[in-house]
Amino acid sequence: MDKTIPKRFEGKVAIVTASTQGIGFGIAERLGLEGASVVVSSRRQKNVDEAVEKLRARGIEVLGVVCHVSNAQQRKNLIDKTVQKYGKIDVVVSNAAANPSVDAILEMQESVLDKLWEINVKSSVLILQDAAPYMHKGSSVIIISSITAYQPPAAMAMYGVTKTALLGLTKALAVEMGPNTRVNCIAPGFVPTHFAASLIENDIARRAMEEKTLLNRLGTTQDMAAAAAFLASDDASYITGETLVVAGGTPSRL
Ligand code: NAP
């Protein structure tokens, strides 16, 4: 795959939040393989160190910074360290999310509601407030939403609603950050990462998930990374304010 991969990000600097595993790691790896200097981050130093090691082993220029996205000091440090080392920011991928409860919306404790909005929506706004002064003409933001944004499933209804909010956030920020910065969104379908593991604990559940797609398979982190790389690249230079559903044909919208 590396031989055919384009090199659309040479000389570019990309920050990906929540990127020490799963979809965020996949996106960081893809941008790095395409030539970007990538900044990976998550809550735990050990995970950051391991991700940095893996990416370096693939020949990627990488900086690792601990950043819990709801910690203001750590968000500021992520941006400061990036700018100190690389001098600019070309791409920000806002990928962090929490899904702490399967409770119905009407049963959900206020503290759980607060956590969902804080991590899934507010942190995206705040990280972009910090990053925006260092973004310039031709830069790009990718927000990671979810297929559940379109039809929140019962067991993750409030999570789905926060992901719906990200579709609106994408539209609003595309206005505020244009014309210099494009802002787009990805709505992944089901990808068997740590985050989603509990939903496919057995073969029957896995088959049911696969059958919801038209392509008869679950998504991969590489599928999401390819879409993110496209939207962040100059190949998408006339696309802003849009959400790309990457879900194997799972029903979403017209
Ligand atoms: P994942 O494999 O569980 O990875 C989560 C990553 O986020 C880890 O690197 C984790 O590292 C980090 N993290 C967790 N909480 C964080 C926080 N508060 N601040 C900073 N980093 C944090 O998750 P994933 O499935 O790739 O999900 C990534 C995104 O895709 C989320 O926005 C999710 O909603 C979305 N999505 C996923 C699916 C799916 O099926 N997997 C479908 C649709 C949308 P630490 O533990 O070190 O913090």
Side-chain angles (χ1 to χ4, degrees):
M1 177 186 171
D2 294 13
K3 281 190 186 131
T4 55
I5 216 165
K7 288 280 181 190
R8 294 174 291 191
F9 295 97
E10 267 166 359
K12 307 258 172 156
V13 178
I15 295 177
V16 186
T17 67
S19 50
T20 57
Q21 63 178 15
I23 292 169
F25 181 84
I27 294 172
E29 183 178 45
R30 173 71 190 239
L31 297 177
L33 289 173
E34 289 211 33
S37 300
V38 292
V39 184
V40 290
S41 62
S42 76
R43 294 167 298 182
R44 296 185 184 87
Q45 184 72 57
K46 182 174 170 287
N47 294 346
V48 171
D49 292 343
E50 283 172 9
V52 165
E53 210 171 293
K54 280 191 213 154
L55 293 172
R56 266 197 200 127
R58 303 213 61 191
I60 292 167
E61 167 59 38
V62 55
L63 170 68
V65 182
V66 168
C67 177
H68 188 315
V69 292
S70 63
N71 181 317
Q73 193 53 48
Q74 292 185 1
R75 280 195 308 269
K76 186 175 177 310
N77 187 47
L78 174 66
I79 303 300
D80 287 351
K81 287 266 161 57
T82 302
V83 174
Q84 275 162 23
K85 181 152 189 195
Y86 299 117
K88 61 170 184 164
I89 302 169
D90 297 287
V91 177
V92 177
V93 181
S94 180
N95 172 63
N99 185 23
S101 163
V102 294
D103 289 348
I105 291 173
L106 294 180
E107 311 287 325
M108 199 165 261
Q109 286 181 5
E110 189 173 350
S111 59
V112 178
L113 286 171
D114 286 346
K115 181 167 183 188
L116 275 164
W117 286 100
E118 181 168 321
I119 307 274
N120 297 5
V121 182
K122 200 170 95 176
S123 73
S124 289
V125 173
L126 293 172
I127 196 94
L128 290 169
Q129 285 183 357
D130 290 340
Y134 303 100
M135 300 188 77
H136 48 82
K137 191 162 176 52
S139 58
S140 171
V141 170
I142 309 289
I143 294 172
I144 305 299
S145 175
S146 166
I147 188 77
T148 62
Y150 295 97
Q151 187 63 59
M156 46 204 308
M158 198 65 217
Y159 163 86
V161 174
T162 63
K163 293 297 192 178
T164 312
L166 295 179
L167 311 185
L169 182 66
T170 300
K171 292 278 179 207
L173 288 178
V175 174
E176 281 196 25
M177 298 184 82
N180 285 344
T181 304
R182 295 179 302 105
V183 183
N184 290 298
C185 180
I186 292 175
F190 190 85
V191 182
T193 61
H194 177 69
F195 185 81
S198 65
L199 296 172
I200 48 155
E201 269 164 357
N202 59 58
D203 285 350
I204 295 168
R206 188 183 176 99
R207 271 309 297 152
M209 284 291 185
E210 286 168 352
E211 281 167 9
K212 280 190 189 164
T213 73
L214 300 181
L215 300 180
N216 209 20
R217 70 169 177 86
L218 303 180
T220 64
T221 58
Q222 290 91 342
D223 291 327
M224 305 308 138
F230 164 66
L231 284 175
S233 78
D234 287 346
D235 286 341
S237 61
Y238 201 49
I239 301 176
T240 193
E242 296 296 339
T243 297
L244 185 55
V245 177
V246 188
T250 308
S252 55
R253 51 150 155 75
L254 280 179

Short mmCIF file of all heavy atoms in Angstrom, two decimals, residues 64-118:
data_model
loop_
_atom_site.label_atom_id
_atom_site.label_comp_id
_atom_site.label_asym_id
_atom_site.label_seq_id
_atom_site.Cartn_x
_atom_site.Cartn_y
_atom_site.Cartn_z
N GLY A 64 4.67 13.47 20.04
CA GLY A 64 3.61 12.97 20.92
C GLY A 64 3.42 13.89 22.11
O GLY A 64 4.39 14.29 22.74
N VAL A 65 2.18 14.24 22.40
CA VAL A 65 1.87 15.15 23.52
C VAL A 65 0.64 14.59 24.26
O VAL A 65 -0.36 14.27 23.61
CB VAL A 65 1.54 16.58 23.01
CG1 VAL A 65 1.27 17.51 24.18
CG2 VAL A 65 2.66 17.12 22.13
N VAL A 66 0.74 14.50 25.59
CA VAL A 66 -0.44 14.08 26.35
C VAL A 66 -1.49 15.19 26.28
O VAL A 66 -1.18 16.36 26.52
CB VAL A 66 -0.06 13.80 27.83
CG1 VAL A 66 -1.32 13.64 28.68
CG2 VAL A 66 0.79 12.53 27.91
N CYS A 67 -2.72 14.83 25.93
CA CYS A 67 -3.79 15.83 25.92
C CYS A 67 -5.15 15.17 26.12
O CYS A 67 -5.67 14.50 25.23
CB CYS A 67 -3.78 16.62 24.61
SG CYS A 67 -5.15 17.81 24.52
N HIS A 68 -5.68 15.34 27.32
CA HIS A 68 -7.09 15.02 27.58
C HIS A 68 -7.87 16.21 27.02
O HIS A 68 -7.66 17.34 27.46
CB HIS A 68 -7.30 14.87 29.09
CG HIS A 68 -8.65 14.34 29.47
ND1 HIS A 68 -9.82 14.81 28.91
CD2 HIS A 68 -9.02 13.38 30.35
CE1 HIS A 68 -10.85 14.17 29.43
NE2 HIS A 68 -10.38 13.28 30.31
N VAL A 69 -8.76 15.95 26.06
CA VAL A 69 -9.33 17.09 25.33
C VAL A 69 -10.18 18.01 26.18
O VAL A 69 -10.46 19.14 25.78
CB VAL A 69 -10.13 16.65 24.08
CG1 VAL A 69 -9.23 16.06 23.01
CG2 VAL A 69 -11.27 15.71 24.45
N SER A 70 -10.60 17.56 27.37
CA SER A 70 -11.37 18.49 28.20
C SER A 70 -10.51 19.23 29.21
O SER A 70 -11.03 19.97 30.04
CB SER A 70 -12.55 17.78 28.88
OG SER A 70 -12.08 16.81 29.75
N ASN A 71 -9.20 19.11 29.11
CA ASN A 71 -8.28 19.82 30.00
C ASN A 71 -7.68 21.03 29.26
O ASN A 71 -6.90 20.87 28.31
CB ASN A 71 -7.18 18.84 30.45
CG ASN A 71 -6.18 19.46 31.39
OD1 ASN A 71 -5.74 20.59 31.19
ND2 ASN A 71 -5.82 18.72 32.42
N ALA A 72 -8.06 22.22 29.70
CA ALA A 72 -7.67 23.45 28.99
C ALA A 72 -6.15 23.60 28.88
O ALA A 72 -5.62 23.96 27.83
CB ALA A 72 -8.27 24.66 29.69
N GLN A 73 -5.46 23.30 29.99
CA GLN A 73 -4.00 23.44 30.00
C GLN A 73 -3.35 22.47 29.01
O GLN A 73 -2.42 22.83 28.28
CB GLN A 73 -3.50 23.17 31.43
CG GLN A 73 -2.06 23.58 31.67
CD GLN A 73 -1.80 25.03 31.27
OE1 GLN A 73 -2.55 25.92 31.63
NE2 GLN A 73 -0.74 25.26 30.49
N GLN A 74 -3.87 21.25 28.98
CA GLN A 74 -3.30 20.24 28.07
C GLN A 74 -3.62 20.56 26.61
O GLN A 74 -2.81 20.30 25.72
CB GLN A 74 -3.78 18.84 28.46
CG GLN A 74 -3.20 18.40 29.80
CD GLN A 74 -3.56 16.97 30.17
OE1 GLN A 74 -4.24 16.26 29.43
NE2 GLN A 74 -3.10 16.55 31.34
N ARG A 75 -4.80 21.13 26.36
CA ARG A 75 -5.12 21.55 24.98
C ARG A 75 -4.14 22.64 24.53
O ARG A 75 -3.60 22.59 23.42
CB ARG A 75 -6.55 22.10 24.88
CG ARG A 75 -7.64 21.07 24.80
CD ARG A 75 -8.95 21.71 24.35
NE ARG A 75 -9.31 22.87 25.15
CZ ARG A 75 -10.08 22.84 26.24
NH1 ARG A 75 -10.57 21.71 26.67
NH2 ARG A 75 -10.33 23.95 26.90
N LYS A 76 -3.93 23.62 25.41
CA LYS A 76 -3.03 24.73 25.06
C LYS A 76 -1.61 24.21 24.83
O LYS A 76 -0.93 24.59 23.88
CB LYS A 76 -3.05 25.76 26.19
CG LYS A 76 -2.26 27.01 25.88
CD LYS A 76 -2.40 28.06 26.97
CE LYS A 76 -1.55 29.29 26.69
NZ LYS A 76 -0.16 29.03 26.35
N ASN A 77 -1.21 23.27 25.70
CA ASN A 77 0.13 22.68 25.58
C ASN A 77 0.29 21.93 24.25
O ASN A 77 1.35 21.98 23.61
CB ASN A 77 0.37 21.74 26.77
CG ASN A 77 1.78 21.23 26.82
OD1 ASN A 77 2.73 21.99 26.68
ND2 ASN A 77 1.93 19.92 26.98
N LEU A 78 -0.78 21.25 23.83
CA LEU A 78 -0.73 20.52 22.55
C LEU A 78 -0.45 21.49 21.39
O LEU A 78 0.41 21.24 20.54
CB LEU A 78 -2.08 19.80 22.34
CG LEU A 78 -2.30 19.10 21.00
CD1 LEU A 78 -1.34 17.93 20.82
CD2 LEU A 78 -3.74 18.59 20.89
N ILE A 79 -1.16 22.61 21.41
CA ILE A 79 -0.98 23.58 20.32
C ILE A 79 0.41 24.24 20.45
O ILE A 79 1.15 24.36 19.46
CB ILE A 79 -2.09 24.66 20.37
CG1 ILE A 79 -3.48 24.02 20.28
CG2 ILE A 79 -1.88 25.72 19.28
CD1 ILE A 79 -3.75 23.21 19.05
N ASP A 80 0.76 24.64 21.67
CA ASP A 80 2.06 25.32 21.88
C ASP A 80 3.23 24.44 21.45
O ASP A 80 4.14 24.89 20.75
CB ASP A 80 2.24 25.69 23.37
CG ASP A 80 1.36 26.85 23.78
OD1 ASP A 80 0.73 27.48 22.88
OD2 ASP A 80 1.27 27.13 24.99
N LYS A 81 3.20 23.18 21.87
CA LYS A 81 4.31 22.26 21.53
C LYS A 81 4.40 22.05 20.01
O LYS A 81 5.50 21.98 19.44
CB LYS A 81 4.10 20.90 22.21
CG LYS A 81 4.35 20.93 23.71
CD LYS A 81 5.79 20.52 24.01
CE LYS A 81 6.26 20.95 25.39
NZ LYS A 81 5.46 20.46 26.51
N THR A 82 3.24 21.98 19.37
CA THR A 82 3.21 21.79 17.91
C THR A 82 3.85 23.00 17.23
O THR A 82 4.72 22.85 16.34
CB THR A 82 1.75 21.64 17.42
OG1 THR A 82 1.17 20.53 18.08
CG2 THR A 82 1.69 21.42 15.91
N VAL A 83 3.44 24.19 17.66
CA VAL A 83 3.93 25.40 17.00
C VAL A 83 5.42 25.61 17.31
O VAL A 83 6.20 26.00 16.44
CB VAL A 83 3.07 26.62 17.41
CG1 VAL A 83 3.65 27.90 16.86
CG2 VAL A 83 1.64 26.43 16.91
N GLN A 84 5.82 25.28 18.57
CA GLN A 84 7.26 25.40 18.91
C GLN A 84 8.10 24.50 18.00
O GLN A 84 9.14 24.88 17.51
CB GLN A 84 7.50 24.98 20.36
CG GLN A 84 7.27 26.08 21.38
CD GLN A 84 7.09 25.50 22.78
OE1 GLN A 84 7.54 24.39 23.08
NE2 GLN A 84 6.41 26.25 23.64
N LYS A 85 7.61 23.28 17.76
CA LYS A 85 8.43 22.33 16.99
C LYS A 85 8.32 22.54 15.49
O LYS A 85 9.32 22.44 14.77
CB LYS A 85 8.03 20.89 17.34
CG LYS A 85 8.85 19.86 16.60
CD LYS A 85 9.01 18.55 17.31
CE LYS A 85 10.03 17.69 16.57
NZ LYS A 85 10.00 16.30 16.96
N TYR A 86 7.10 22.82 15.00
CA TYR A 86 6.91 22.83 13.54
C TYR A 86 6.55 24.20 12.97
O TYR A 86 6.49 24.37 11.75
CB TYR A 86 5.84 21.82 13.14
CG TYR A 86 6.19 20.39 13.51
CD1 TYR A 86 5.42 19.67 14.42
CD2 TYR A 86 7.30 19.75 12.94
CE1 TYR A 86 5.72 18.36 14.75
CE2 TYR A 86 7.62 18.44 13.27
CZ TYR A 86 6.84 17.76 14.18
OH TYR A 86 7.15 16.46 14.51
N GLY A 87 6.22 25.16 13.85
CA GLY A 87 6.01 26.54 13.39
C GLY A 87 4.65 26.87 12.80
O GLY A 87 4.37 28.03 12.52
N LYS A 88 3.80 25.88 12.58
CA LYS A 88 2.49 26.15 11.97
C LYS A 88 1.59 24.93 12.12
O LYS A 88 2.06 23.87 12.57
CB LYS A 88 2.67 26.44 10.48
CG LYS A 88 3.29 25.27 9.73
CD LYS A 88 3.23 25.47 8.24
CE LYS A 88 3.78 24.21 7.55
NZ LYS A 88 3.45 24.12 6.16
N ILE A 89 0.34 25.11 11.76
CA ILE A 89 -0.62 23.99 11.77
C ILE A 89 -1.39 24.02 10.45
O ILE A 89 -2.01 25.03 10.11
CB ILE A 89 -1.62 24.12 12.95
CG1 ILE A 89 -0.88 24.18 14.29
CG2 ILE A 89 -2.61 22.95 12.93
CD1 ILE A 89 -1.77 24.58 15.47
N ASP A 90 -1.33 22.90 9.71
CA ASP A 90 -2.06 22.81 8.44
C ASP A 90 -3.37 22.05 8.57
O ASP A 90 -4.31 22.33 7.84
CB ASP A 90 -1.19 22.11 7.39
CG ASP A 90 0.07 22.89 7.09
OD1 ASP A 90 -0.03 23.93 6.42
OD2 ASP A 90 1.16 22.49 7.56
N VAL A 91 -3.38 21.04 9.42
CA VAL A 91 -4.55 20.17 9.53
C VAL A 91 -4.84 19.90 11.00
O VAL A 91 -3.92 19.59 11.77
CB VAL A 91 -4.30 18.81 8.82
CG1 VAL A 91 -5.50 17.87 9.00
CG2 VAL A 91 -3.96 18.99 7.35
N VAL A 92 -6.10 20.03 11.40
CA VAL A 92 -6.53 19.57 12.74
C VAL A 92 -7.65 18.56 12.54
O VAL A 92 -8.64 18.85 11.87
CB VAL A 92 -7.03 20.73 13.62
CG1 VAL A 92 -7.52 20.18 14.97
CG2 VAL A 92 -5.94 21.77 13.85
N VAL A 93 -7.46 17.39 13.13
CA VAL A 93 -8.52 16.37 13.12
C VAL A 93 -9.04 16.25 14.55
O VAL A 93 -8.30 15.86 15.45
CB VAL A 93 -8.00 15.01 12.62
CG1 VAL A 93 -9.15 14.00 12.59
CG2 VAL A 93 -7.36 15.14 11.25
N SER A 94 -10.31 16.61 14.75
CA SER A 94 -10.91 16.53 16.07
C SER A 94 -11.67 15.21 16.17
O SER A 94 -12.73 15.04 15.57
CB SER A 94 -11.86 17.71 16.29
OG SER A 94 -12.43 17.60 17.58
N ASN A 95 -11.08 14.28 16.92
CA ASN A 95 -11.51 12.88 16.85
C ASN A 95 -12.00 12.33 18.18
O ASN A 95 -12.61 11.27 18.22
CB ASN A 95 -10.31 12.05 16.34
CG ASN A 95 -10.54 10.56 16.40
OD1 ASN A 95 -11.42 10.05 15.73
ND2 ASN A 95 -9.76 9.87 17.22
N ALA A 96 -11.76 13.04 19.28
CA ALA A 96 -12.08 12.45 20.60
C ALA A 96 -13.59 12.36 20.82
O ALA A 96 -14.34 13.22 20.40
CB ALA A 96 -11.45 13.30 21.70
N ALA A 97 -14.00 11.30 21.50
CA ALA A 97 -15.41 11.16 21.88
C ALA A 97 -15.51 10.25 23.09
O ALA A 97 -14.63 9.43 23.34
CB ALA A 97 -16.23 10.59 20.73
N ALA A 98 -16.62 10.42 23.81
CA ALA A 98 -16.93 9.51 24.91
C ALA A 98 -18.34 8.97 24.70
O ALA A 98 -19.19 9.64 24.12
CB ALA A 98 -16.87 10.26 26.24
N ASN A 99 -18.55 7.76 25.18
CA ASN A 99 -19.89 7.17 25.14
C ASN A 99 -20.08 6.43 26.46
O ASN A 99 -20.05 5.22 26.51
CB ASN A 99 -20.01 6.23 23.94
CG ASN A 99 -21.42 5.69 23.82
OD1 ASN A 99 -22.37 6.29 24.31
ND2 ASN A 99 -21.55 4.54 23.17
N PRO A 100 -20.26 7.20 27.56
CA PRO A 100 -20.14 6.60 28.90
C PRO A 100 -21.34 5.82 29.38
O PRO A 100 -21.27 5.20 30.44
CB PRO A 100 -19.92 7.82 29.80
CG PRO A 100 -20.51 8.97 29.05
CD PRO A 100 -20.46 8.64 27.60
N SER A 101 -22.46 5.81 28.65
CA SER A 101 -23.66 5.21 29.23
C SER A 101 -24.59 4.68 28.14
O SER A 101 -24.64 5.23 27.04
CB SER A 101 -24.39 6.30 30.04
OG SER A 101 -25.70 5.93 30.30
N VAL A 102 -25.34 3.61 28.47
CA VAL A 102 -26.36 3.13 27.52
C VAL A 102 -27.76 3.57 27.98
O VAL A 102 -28.76 3.14 27.42
CB VAL A 102 -26.32 1.59 27.36
CG1 VAL A 102 -25.03 1.14 26.70
CG2 VAL A 102 -26.52 0.89 28.70
N ASP A 103 -27.82 4.45 28.98
CA ASP A 103 -29.12 4.88 29.51
C ASP A 103 -29.93 5.63 28.45
O ASP A 103 -29.37 6.31 27.59
CB ASP A 103 -28.92 5.83 30.71
CG ASP A 103 -28.40 5.08 31.93
OD1 ASP A 103 -28.42 3.83 31.91
OD2 ASP A 103 -27.96 5.76 32.88
N ALA A 104 -31.25 5.51 28.57
CA ALA A 104 -32.13 6.33 27.73
C ALA A 104 -31.91 7.81 28.07
O ALA A 104 -31.51 8.14 29.20
CB ALA A 104 -33.58 5.94 28.00
N ILE A 105 -32.19 8.65 27.11
CA ILE A 105 -31.96 10.09 27.31
C ILE A 105 -32.74 10.60 28.53
O ILE A 105 -32.20 11.36 29.36
CB ILE A 105 -32.36 10.89 26.05
CG1 ILE A 105 -31.37 10.57 24.91
CG2 ILE A 105 -32.38 12.39 26.34
CD1 ILE A 105 -31.74 11.16 23.56
N LEU A 106 -33.97 10.14 28.68
CA LEU A 106 -34.79 10.65 29.78
C LEU A 106 -34.36 10.11 31.15
O LEU A 106 -34.80 10.60 32.18
CB LEU A 106 -36.27 10.34 29.52
CG LEU A 106 -36.86 11.08 28.32
CD1 LEU A 106 -38.33 10.72 28.14
CD2 LEU A 106 -36.72 12.59 28.45
N GLU A 107 -33.50 9.08 31.13
CA GLU A 107 -33.00 8.50 32.39
C GLU A 107 -31.59 8.99 32.72
O GLU A 107 -31.03 8.66 33.75
CB GLU A 107 -32.91 6.97 32.29
CG GLU A 107 -34.15 6.27 31.77
CD GLU A 107 -35.26 6.27 32.79
OE1 GLU A 107 -34.95 6.17 33.97
OE2 GLU A 107 -36.42 6.41 32.38
N MET A 108 -30.98 9.71 31.82
CA MET A 108 -29.54 9.99 31.93
C MET A 108 -29.22 11.02 33.01
O MET A 108 -29.87 12.06 33.09
CB MET A 108 -29.05 10.48 30.56
CG MET A 108 -27.57 10.37 30.38
SD MET A 108 -27.17 10.55 28.62
CE MET A 108 -27.00 8.85 28.15
N GLN A 109 -28.22 10.69 33.83
CA GLN A 109 -27.80 11.62 34.88
C GLN A 109 -27.18 12.88 34.25
O GLN A 109 -26.52 12.79 33.22
CB GLN A 109 -26.76 10.97 35.78
CG GLN A 109 -27.34 9.94 36.70
CD GLN A 109 -26.28 9.32 37.58
OE1 GLN A 109 -25.12 9.73 37.58
NE2 GLN A 109 -26.68 8.32 38.34
N GLU A 110 -27.33 13.99 34.96
CA GLU A 110 -26.81 15.25 34.43
C GLU A 110 -25.30 15.19 34.24
O GLU A 110 -24.77 15.72 33.26
CB GLU A 110 -27.19 16.41 35.36
CG GLU A 110 -26.87 17.75 34.75
CD GLU A 110 -27.39 18.92 35.57
OE1 GLU A 110 -28.16 18.70 36.52
OE2 GLU A 110 -26.99 20.05 35.25
N SER A 111 -24.61 14.50 35.15
CA SER A 111 -23.15 14.43 35.02
C SER A 111 -22.74 13.68 33.74
O SER A 111 -21.74 14.01 33.11
CB SER A 111 -22.54 13.74 36.25
OG SER A 111 -23.08 12.44 36.36
N VAL A 112 -23.55 12.69 33.36
CA VAL A 112 -23.26 11.94 32.12
C VAL A 112 -23.56 12.81 30.90
O VAL A 112 -22.77 12.85 29.94
CB VAL A 112 -24.06 10.62 32.09
CG1 VAL A 112 -23.81 9.86 30.79
CG2 VAL A 112 -23.71 9.75 33.29
N LEU A 113 -24.67 13.53 30.97
CA LEU A 113 -24.99 14.47 29.88
C LEU A 113 -23.85 15.49 29.70
O LEU A 113 -23.41 15.76 28.59
CB LEU A 113 -26.27 15.24 30.20
CG LEU A 113 -27.59 14.49 30.07
CD1 LEU A 113 -28.73 15.32 30.62
CD2 LEU A 113 -27.85 14.12 28.62
N ASP A 114 -23.38 16.01 30.84
CA ASP A 114 -22.30 17.00 30.77
C ASP A 114 -21.06 16.42 30.12
O ASP A 114 -20.41 17.06 29.30
CB ASP A 114 -21.95 17.50 32.18
CG ASP A 114 -23.00 18.45 32.74
OD1 ASP A 114 -23.85 18.92 31.94
OD2 ASP A 114 -22.98 18.70 33.95
N LYS A 115 -20.73 15.18 30.50
CA LYS A 115 -19.51 14.57 29.96
C LYS A 115 -19.63 14.38 28.44
O LYS A 115 -18.69 14.65 27.69
CB LYS A 115 -19.26 13.22 30.64
CG LYS A 115 -18.01 12.55 30.14
CD LYS A 115 -17.55 11.39 30.99
CE LYS A 115 -16.25 10.85 30.41
NZ LYS A 115 -15.81 9.64 31.03
N LEU A 116 -20.80 13.91 27.99
CA LEU A 116 -21.00 13.70 26.56
C LEU A 116 -20.83 15.00 25.77
O LEU A 116 -20.14 15.04 24.75
CB LEU A 116 -22.41 13.14 26.32
CG LEU A 116 -22.55 11.63 26.46
CD1 LEU A 116 -24.02 11.24 26.61
CD2 LEU A 116 -21.94 10.93 25.26
N TRP A 117 -21.47 16.07 26.26
CA TRP A 117 -21.36 17.33 25.52
C TRP A 117 -19.96 17.91 25.62
O TRP A 117 -19.43 18.48 24.66
CB TRP A 117 -22.40 18.35 26.03
CG TRP A 117 -23.77 17.99 25.55
CD1 TRP A 117 -24.74 17.34 26.23
CD2 TRP A 117 -24.27 18.17 24.22
NE1 TRP A 117 -25.82 17.12 25.42
CE2 TRP A 117 -25.58 17.63 24.19
CE3 TRP A 117 -23.76 18.75 23.06
CZ2 TRP A 117 -26.37 17.65 23.03
CZ3 TRP A 117 -24.56 18.78 21.91
CH2 TRP A 117 -25.84 18.23 21.90
N GLU A 118 -19.36 17.75 26.80
CA GLU A 118 -18.02 18.32 26.99
C GLU A 118 -16.99 17.67 26.07
O GLU A 118 -16.24 18.36 25.38
CB GLU A 118 -17.59 18.16 28.45
CG GLU A 118 -16.23 18.74 28.71
CD GLU A 118 -15.92 18.84 30.18
OE1 GLU A 118 -16.82 19.16 30.97
OE2 GLU A 118 -14.77 18.56 30.54
#
